[in-house]
Amino acid sequence: MQQFVPAKKRVVVFLCALAVCGVAAFTLLWSWGLRAVRVLDPAEYTQQAPAGFVFDTACSLQDGVLCVDGYAAVEGERFESVDTRVVLYHAEDDTYILLPTQMVESEAARQATGLPLAQYGGFSARAKASGLEHPAEEYEICIAYRNDGHNALVHTGRRVEVAQ
């Protein structure tokens, strides 16, 4: 005797499979968006660098990928929230390019501020040089700093030439 799967059961299985595919697609798009280089509106940052602001950056170009590592923190200020991003500024056309940035622990940040929790002020940004608006040109490295109520876009004065 042959058993038939009721129609309701097939519909439930189909809807579950559809939901899993939808979640997977959303996750992939979200992940891609987090790693995308995009233009930044400097008007989103309304303050100057806070007093006691310290930073350091190191840049390199490895296999066509621009790498910016460093830290940013305010001396004497604990981290309650962390949102630091690396931004490239192209002076010729006044364009700010936001790089995908992740927070990393930084012993140098802790030493610079003297605070144990400042180690969370480290960052690491990566972007393909070919994906930038003006490859093979010079950019100034900026830091978009939205930590602990601050909202500043800080020009570091450091420059990097990006060549493909």
Side-chain angles (χ1 to χ4, degrees):
M1 185 175 204
Q2 189 177 13
Q3 276 190 325
F4 291 99
V5 177
K8 285 184 182 180
K9 201 177 236 185
R10 281 186 287 189
V11 169
V12 169
V13 169
F14 173 75
L15 290 177
C16 287
L18 190 62
V20 167
C21 289
V23 168
F26 172 78
T27 303
L28 287 173
L29 289 173
W30 183 52
S31 174
W32 176 80
L34 289 175
R35 290 182 274 147
V37 173
R38 65 179 179 90
V39 174
L40 175 79
D41 180 4
E44 295 176 20
Y45 295 85
T46 58
Q47 300 173 350
Q48 298 296 319
F53 184 76
V54 293
F55 70 89
D56 192 20
T57 60
C59 299
S60 63
L61 193 61
Q62 302 169 0
D63 298 324
V65 176
L66 175 64
C67 306
V68 182
D69 298 301
Y71 68 85
V74 176
E75 291 177 322
E77 191 171 285
R78 293 180 33 163
F79 279 110
E80 299 293 328
S81 64
V82 180
D83 183 7
T84 304
R85 315 265 175 130
V86 174
V87 178
L88 299 179
Y89 175 63
H90 188 256
E92 288 180 25
D93 62 3
D94 197 33
T95 301
Y96 292 85
I97 301 169
L98 182 66
L99 301 182
T101 308
Q102 69 180 34
M103 303 299 101
V104 296
E105 290 187 23
S106 170
E107 180 63 23
R110 189 190 65 72
Q111 290 175 355
T113 63
L115 297 172
L117 291 180
Q119 71 189 27
Y120 299 114
F123 56 78
S124 180
R126 303 283 185 270
K128 288 185 179 179
S130 61
L132 300 176
E133 292 258 334
H134 307 281
E137 292 193 32
E138 187 177 77
Y139 293 94
E140 179 184 3
I141 297 171
C142 299
I143 299 172
Y145 191 78
R146 282 190 170 153
N147 299 342
D148 302 319
H150 300 292
N151 186 25
L153 182 59
V154 180
H155 286 257
T156 66
R158 296 184 180 180
R159 306 212 180 279
V160 61
E161 187 171 316
V162 179
Q164 294 185 27

